[in-house]
Amino acid sequence: MAETLSSSPKIWQHRNRNQQLLSWLIWLLGTALFVVCWQKVSESTTWFFVWDAPRIAADIGSRMIPPRWSYINELWEPLWDTLNIATIGTMMAIVMAVPVAFLAARNTTPSTRFVRPIALLIIVSSRSINSLIWSLLLVSIIGPGVVAGIVAISLRSIGFIAKLLYEAIEEIDKNQVEAVTAAGGSRLQVLVYGIVPQILPAFAGISVFRWDINIRESTVLGLVGAGGIGLQLNASLNVLAWPQVTLILILILLAVIFSEWVSAKVRHAII
Amino acid sequence: MLEIKNLVKKYNTGDLAINGVDLKVEKGQVMALIGPSGAGKSTLIRCVNRLENPTSGEIWLNGENIVKMRSRKLRRARRNMGMIFQEYALVERLTVMENVLSGRLGYVGFWRSFLRKFPQSDVNAAFGLLNKVGLDAMVNKRADELSGGQRQRVGIARALIQNPDILLVDEPTASLDPKTSRQIMRLITELCEENQLAAIINIHDVALAQMYAERIVGLRDGKIVYDGSPDDLKPDVLTEIYGKEDWTAVRKRKPKKDQSEDDITASEEHLAEMQ
């Protein structure tokens, strides 16, 4: 037996001949597509502007320095507005997203056939519209200002929080839920004792993560009139006040670093 | 006290897990349920407290048919059945005390349980039980900090604080080492005797079952094939339950050089058998 084995060794290949051919074909097609697209893009580009770009960039860069530090006194209030838009928007989103998540999770929804699709629809529609577009809509509905920004941020965040949370709910250990059920707990008690403790770390992580994202998003909402520091950014850009733009960008950077630091601390404390 | 009549459980996948089981458990009787994997042991006890809904049949506990019960009544019936799980099924992120008190959820209203304001009598009972299972010092530890044996002790305390009439025990020792397994089985049977509790204990380990249970029921393919005392559990009965196997065999040693002729021929015969 041993001899027959050694005379004709069994061959093992990661891919067989057909799979190998297919993989080559896919690479070939991909490369061809890339070349074609490159040509199309190239035809519709005014290359003069592109070649000119470094010079323009250097020109603007030189105008941006030094930042106009005295402008900062006009920025404290918009910055405070921006933080408020992000924070209040996130809190409102959490309040609305938690019930949606429980209705969307397969193991907690009252009905997979009717309620779950509605919850999923809420999640998808909230996620598919960018907060900038939400603000555009809301500025024309409730008028310009901080409120439009808060509502835009919260509408955008519902989907994000609800989606991640319902995935966490679906991944819980069902033994713990069964144990509470077997002891005679009601549906609400099962929720509070069997499910909530299991998803609490995920919930905290998701909320802080979204708050962190919202700080960044709320800095641009002012561009369309929804309040915050973006309003100043837009104004400065319009009058080509480059030293002010620099200062605003520095401030946004600091705000984002601050939010990252807070969310890292919170996540560390909870998990 | 517990009477199961012609119980059938067919899963949606078409698997017939329980195929017509009749079983009666008297007050204070500790019964071990043995059988191969997939025989329906877990399904049987999960049908009793309706974690699974039986396809047909009746389950009578204290004169009431559990199969017919709806939400509120079912919750009330579940209070009388304490369940102990193989993987302990403690709520990992709650403390030992909260886990034990969760056994009282069937008795306590939502807001009291939500705010952790359990009646003092429940708290006293929890302290008493934790003392009995030897976890005095662990009251405020989180469940995920405990060892396997300690977790199972919390599970036992949680089942007992329900003040049940019967314990449903699903493979209590399958995740534990041999010594801890014996301690846990001893604890369960002692507590049953002390409180006049009946128990159905699913267990893989036949020796442990014989050691601690007064009655043994063998399940195979969803049917009861043995019901009797631990002493009558002879090799032919085990074959009936589990299928053919050499039940008396002990470990055969490899022949050593200084072994006698007889031993060597015996092991050669054994080799021949294997081929």
Side-chain angles (χ1 to χ4, degrees), chain A residues 160-203:
Chain A
F160 181 92
I161 295 173
K163 183 178 168 68
L164 292 182
L165 193 59
Y166 98 72
E167 280 170 358
I169 296 172
E170 285 184 349
E171 275 167 24
I172 58 171
D173 171 17
K174 78 179 201 325
N175 285 328
Q176 300 179 29
V177 179
E178 277 182 349
V180 180
T181 313
S186 66
R187 275 184 78 108
L188 268 181
Q189 284 173 328
V190 171
L191 195 76
V192 168
Y193 272 77
I195 299 174
V196 169
Q198 293 195 59
I199 60 166
L200 219 47
F203 171 73

Side-chain angles (χ1 to χ4, degrees), chain A residues 173-176 178-190 192-194 197-201 270-271, chain B residues 46 49 51 75 78 81 85 89-94 98 102-103 105-106 108-110 113-114 116 118 158 162:
Chain A
D173 171 17
K174 78 179 201 325
N175 285 328
Q176 300 179 29
E178 277 182 349
V180 180
T181 313
S186 66
R187 275 184 78 108
L188 268 181
Q189 284 173 328
V190 171
V192 168
Y193 272 77
Q198 293 195 59
I199 60 166
L200 219 47
I270 284 166
I271 300 162
Chain B
R46 290 165 63 85
N49 66 0
L51 286 180
R75 282 180 54 205
R78 277 177 174 154
M81 302 181 277
F85 297 80
L90 302 183
V91 183
E92 297 285 319
R93 293 180 56 85
L94 295 184
E98 285 173 300
S102 75
L105 287 179
V108 175
F110 173 74
S113 61
F114 180 72
R116 310 295 196 262
F118 285 86
R158 175 177 65 186
Q162 288 179 230

Side-chain angles (χ1 to χ4, degrees), chain A:
Chain A
M1 259 225 333
E3 276 172 344
T4 51
L5 265 178
S6 60
S7 65
S8 66
K10 284 194 174 171
I11 292 166
W12 180 85
Q13 277 178 312
H14 176 49
R15 295 195 171 100
N16 66 27
R17 182 182 293 264
N18 285 343
Q19 284 170 326
Q20 230 158 7
L21 277 174
L22 187 72
S23 125
W24 275 110
L25 200 68
I26 289 170
W27 273 105
L28 188 70
L29 283 175
T31 316
L33 189 71
F34 178 75
V35 171
V36 170
C37 290
W38 183 267
Q39 260 180 332
K40 288 272 174 208
V41 171
S42 176
E43 277 164 22
S44 60
T45 307
T46 317
W47 285 102
F48 170 75
F49 287 139
V50 178
W51 302 132
D52 197 34
R55 198 182 59 78
I56 302 282
D59 183 44
I60 292 182
S62 70
R63 285 163 202 259
M64 285 175 86
I65 307 168
R68 201 185 137 208
W69 297 108
S70 59
Y71 184 54
I72 198 153
N73 285 327
E74 287 174 51
L75 292 180
W76 293 123
E77 211 187 315
L79 185 68
W80 178 241
D81 283 349
T82 300
L83 291 178
N84 279 337
I85 291 172
T87 311
I88 299 172
T90 311
M91 289 195 299
M92 278 170 59
I94 290 170
V95 171
M96 289 182 275
V98 169
V100 174
F102 277 101
L103 296 179
R106 220 175 272 282
N107 47 356
T108 52
T109 184
S111 133
T112 31
R113 211 173 284 168
F114 301 105
V115 182
R116 185 161 189 268
I118 294 173
L120 290 179
L121 186 71
I122 293 174
I123 291 173
V124 170
S125 44
S126 150
R127 272 160 57 79
S128 58
I129 300 175
N130 191 292
S131 41
L132 208 57
I133 299 170
W134 276 123
S135 328
L136 269 175
L137 286 172
L138 288 160
V139 165
S140 43
I141 296 171
I142 28 184
V146 177
V147 177
I150 291 174
V151 178
I153 286 285
S154 65
L155 284 179
R156 172 67 180 83
S157 305
I158 290 174
F160 181 92
I161 295 173
K163 183 178 168 68
L164 292 182
L165 193 59
Y166 98 72
E167 280 170 358
I169 296 172
E170 285 184 349
E171 275 167 24
I172 58 171
D173 171 17
K174 78 179 201 325
N175 285 328
Q176 300 179 29
V177 179
E178 277 182 349
V180 180
T181 313
S186 66
R187 275 184 78 108
L188 268 181
Q189 284 173 328
V190 171
L191 195 76
V192 168
Y193 272 77
I195 299 174
V196 169
Q198 293 195 59
I199 60 166
L200 219 47
F203 171 73
I206 293 164
S207 306
V208 178
F209 183 33
R210 188 63 223 186
W211 176 74
D212 181 7
I213 296 173
N214 284 346
I215 295 268
R216 270 169 274 162
E217 292 206 339
S218 60
T219 55
V220 291
L221 295 187
L223 289 178
V224 296
I229 202 162
L231 222 55
Q232 257 63 27
L233 183 64
N234 198 24
S236 301
L237 280 171
N238 285 343
V239 296
L240 304 176
W242 299 111
Q244 294 183 15
V245 172
T246 319
L247 186 67
I248 293 170
L249 291 183
I250 290 172
L251 222 54
I252 290 176
L253 183 73
L254 290 178
V256 170
I257 290 173
F258 167 73
S259 74
E260 297 242 359
W261 178 76
V262 170
S263 62
K265 282 276 167 213
V266 171
R267 248 174 285 172
H268 197 77
I270 284 166
I271 300 162

Side-chain angles (χ1 to χ4, degrees), chain B residues 240-253:
Chain B
E240 168 105 44
I241 300 171
Y242 288 97
K244 195 161 167 50
E245 173 61 57
D246 184 0
W247 297 105
T248 53
V250 287
R251 181 167 178 267
K252 294 197 172 71
R253 291 167 201 288

